[in-house]
Amino acid sequence: MSQTILLVDDEVKLLDVLSGVLEGLGYRPLTASSGAAALERLEQEPVDLVLTDLRMPGMSGQELLAEIRRRHPSMPVVIMTAYSSVRDAVQAIKDGAFDYIDKPIEQEELATTLANALRLHEALRDNERLRQELAGRYKFDTLVGKSPAFQKVLRAVSEVCEQRTTVLLTGESGSGKEVVARAIHFNSPRQRKPFVAVNCAAIPEALLESEFFGHVKGSFTGAVSNRIGRFAQAEGGTLFLDEVGDMPLNLQAKILRVLQERQYEPVGATGSRTADVRIIAATNRDLTAMVAENKFREDLYYRLAVFPIALPPLRERAEDIPLFLELFADDLAPTLGKRDIRFSPDAVRVLAAYRWPGNIRELQNCVERSLISARGPVISAADLPPYIAEKPGNGAAQDFPIQLDEAAAAFERGLILEALKRADGVQVRAAELLGINERSLWHRLKKYEITVSKTVGPRS
């Protein structure tokens, strides 16, 4: 079913032209020649987006925006404006408009802006539907863990969640940092606003600034329309900076400014925008060691570590493993066509003895694999993945996961170096030899500090 767009402009001829353009783009257009008529149509028919002129006799576009925000808070509004009114259009965005486009209107820009606005609107509607479910899922009494180590984390979360204070979560990969970050958000006064997560290690360095702060049309090649960044998306809510230790130094300075001044500038913009965003950062790296090595800004570290919370690895909270087993089995069994699954005492003992280098994430994968292997409702030690049963972590085997990680990293680095040698240093060919995409290879080059002169990074 076509999405419906309400066009508002006092120029009847422009309404006719834009209606035809929107139909060509696959939308269902409605028209109104005044702000009052637009409000009346909004009450009569379902509308997905409003595209309105800024300067109109009677009720202006800005006044219409204010009334739409009051009556229909989630309705996306895009402003049309002449060049001379750009300042007013920027103010309209601050007042809640999604974006503005210049007259005369270019079809490509119009199509891109409307598509972005409608995607965001759909995401916001989905977020609202999920918010109630998530809020219940991340209540304190639903977080898994009765061990003293995790109870200490819960006490820290309960102390800080009501505040605006910046939080730094540290811990090994898979230890549940994002779960704790969401718990802080959904137990805070910001719970009705967005929770936006950004993996700082997964975004190409060249796009990081635009990703965080957005950009304006024409600010660089390929910027065919304005784009809002993650700070704008998280306005009033929480921005979760995952893997913050992998953030480039030049971007660290800009993030520091936001934390200090609560302002930021989209790429190519001439003015600043305020940022009412709570920051929760997370990392599995030792930031203090990185500061000493000049790989992380000291001033940013202290801004992030206002309230540090260290998450214990799963091996230090073995008494919580039976709780996780029950939780994961209940979640996964229906999707695998199984029911009433439980773990035998022998299986629980083996799982509790294992060191879990991948922490909670590894345990969840283990439960899923065991559910697939089990032939009955009781999962025995024989149904567990062989590597867990054979290397539970007792005695001399306790050092085995660490040795395995080191050996695996050395092996992978050697393979990459050999592939680069055979490809004469060309990353595209090396990635093909390794059976991975170029971006994955690029991240591994950074991880193992391998320098390649022929290319500087992954293609977009």
Side-chain angles (χ1 to χ4, degrees), residues 233-256:
Q233 292 175 22
E235 182 67 18
T238 301
L239 182 61
F240 176 54
L241 304 179
D242 198 12
E243 305 296 351
V244 72
D246 294 300
M247 183 181 293
L249 285 168
N250 64 330
L251 183 63
Q252 291 179 29
K254 297 180 185 295
I255 297 294
L256 176 64

Side-chain angles (χ1 to χ4, degrees), residues 405-415 448:
D405 288 346
E406 293 174 350
F411 182 73
E412 184 176 47
R413 191 177 192 278
L415 284 177
Y448 297 123

Side-chain angles (χ1 to χ4, degrees), residues 245-303:
D246 294 300
M247 183 181 293
L249 285 168
N250 64 330
L251 183 63
Q252 291 179 29
K254 297 180 185 295
I255 297 294
L256 176 64
R257 181 186 174 224
V258 179
L259 291 174
Q260 290 174 331
E261 303 177 13
R262 299 292 174 183
Q263 290 185 328
Y264 65 94
E265 292 180 4
V267 177
T270 57
S272 298
R273 297 183 185 177
T274 58
D276 177 16
V277 174
R278 187 206 193 141
I279 299 292
I280 301 178
T283 183
N284 60 2
R285 305 182 68 174
D286 184 349
L287 293 188
T288 56
M290 293 182 67
V291 168
E293 297 169 0
N294 294 320
K295 294 181 178 180
F296 199 86
R297 291 182 64 107
E298 184 177 25
D299 45 8
L300 178 59
Y301 169 73
Y302 286 117
R303 282 284 180 176

Side-chain angles (χ1 to χ4, degrees), residues 26-96:
Y27 298 115
R28 173 177 173 260
L30 300 176
T31 61
S33 57
S34 68
L39 292 174
E40 187 174 341
R41 295 217 72 165
L42 284 171
E43 297 301 324
Q44 295 171 348
E45 299 188 59
V47 171
D48 296 293
L49 180 144
V50 175
L51 177 62
T52 179
D53 191 21
L54 187 61
R55 298 275 178 93
M56 296 185 293
M59 180 183 290
S60 69
Q62 226 158 347
E63 292 171 331
L64 173 61
L65 170 64
E67 193 61 26
I68 291 174
R69 301 303 296 166
R70 187 180 70 82
R71 300 187 188 187
H72 310 278
S74 64
M75 177 67 65
V77 177
V78 175
I79 299 292
M80 298 181 290
T81 179
Y83 178 77
S84 60
S85 304
V86 168
R87 181 175 297 179
D88 293 334
V90 172
Q91 183 59 48
I93 290 178
K94 293 181 178 179
D95 292 339

Side-chain angles (χ1 to χ4, degrees), residues 135-245:
R137 182 183 299 177
Y138 293 107
K139 288 181 180 178
F140 290 134
D141 56 2
T142 61
L143 294 182
V144 175
K146 296 181 179 179
S147 63
F150 193 68
Q151 287 299 308
K152 182 179 179 181
V153 171
L154 288 181
R155 285 194 296 272
V157 170
S158 66
E159 292 169 0
V160 78
C161 64
E162 293 288 335
Q163 312 302 322
R164 182 177 176 167
T165 306
T166 301
V167 177
L168 177 62
L169 303 174
T170 58
E172 297 177 5
S173 294
S175 57
K177 295 185 288 296
E178 184 168 347
V179 172
V180 172
R182 289 182 181 274
I184 294 172
H185 172 76
F186 284 107
N187 289 278
S188 77
R190 295 172 176 263
Q191 62 176 274
R192 297 195 65 85
K193 296 295 184 177
F195 177 93
V196 178
V198 185
N199 187 330
C200 300
I203 305 171
E205 185 172 345
L207 300 179
L208 276 170
E209 188 173 354
S210 174
E211 189 74 23
F212 278 105
F213 308 124
H215 62 250
V216 299
K217 176 186 174 183
S219 56
F220 55 85
T221 302
V224 297
S225 66
N226 296 325
R227 176 184 178 179
I228 64 171
R230 299 301 181 95
F231 273 94
Q233 292 175 22
E235 182 67 18
T238 301
L239 182 61
F240 176 54
L241 304 179
D242 198 12
E243 305 296 351
V244 72

Side-chain angles (χ1 to χ4, degrees), residues 3-26:
Q3 293 169 298
T4 301
I5 295 178
L6 176 58
L7 295 167
V8 189
D9 201 302
D10 60 308
E11 297 182 30
V12 178
K13 290 184 178 180
L14 181 61
L15 289 180
D16 290 340
V17 172
L18 285 177
S19 293
V21 172
L22 291 180
E23 287 178 348
L25 293 173

